[in-house]
């Protein structure tokens, strides 16, 4: 769960791809950010900056790139 920030549509070669956003949350006085991409959906139709949401999906760690990636499955109001 967290708040949506930096929400923007992703287009490639003029075709709609999806929505990228950063999910921010604060736990025990520490702020966490997770960069997310939701393919095939325009989340800006239903969500805006600082909306509180719950995101579920699969999180994977890519060792060669040194980063985590989350494939969002469900995004709903928190």
């Amino acid at each position: 769960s967290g708040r949506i920030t930096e929400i923007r549509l992703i287009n490639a070669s003029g075709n709609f791809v999806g929505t990228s956003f950063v999910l921010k949350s604060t736990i025990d006085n520490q702020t966490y950010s997770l960069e997310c991409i939701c393919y095939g959906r325009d989340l800006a139709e239903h969500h805006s900056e600082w909306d509180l949401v719950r995101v579920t999906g699969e999180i994977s760690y890519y060792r060669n790139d040194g980063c985590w990636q989350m494939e969002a499955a469900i995004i709903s109001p928190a």
Side-chain angles (χ1 to χ4, degrees):
S1 313
R3 296 202 179 272
I4 290 179
T5 63
E6 302 176 37
I7 189 168
R8 62 183 181 271
L9 296 179
I10 302 170
N11 293 294
S13 301
N15 295 318
F16 174 71
V17 175
T19 311
S20 69
F21 62 96
V22 175
L23 187 69
K24 290 192 176 187
S25 184
T26 302
I27 301 170
D28 296 330
N29 295 322
Q30 298 292 318
T31 300
Y32 298 92
S33 298
L34 179 65
E35 293 184 33
C36 303
I37 297 174
C38 187
Y39 294 99
R41 289 178 58 194
D42 179 358
L43 297 179
E45 289 182 351
H46 304 287
H47 300 287
S48 59
E49 292 282 321
W50 302 109
D51 278 356
L52 184 60
V53 296
R54 178 178 307 276
V55 177
T56 61
E58 183 176 326
I59 298 176
S60 302
Y61 181 68
Y62 293 87
R63 184 175 303 215
N64 292 341
D65 297 330
C67 67
W68 292 88
Q69 181 176 344
M70 176 177 189
E71 184 175 328
I74 299 171
I75 299 174
S76 61

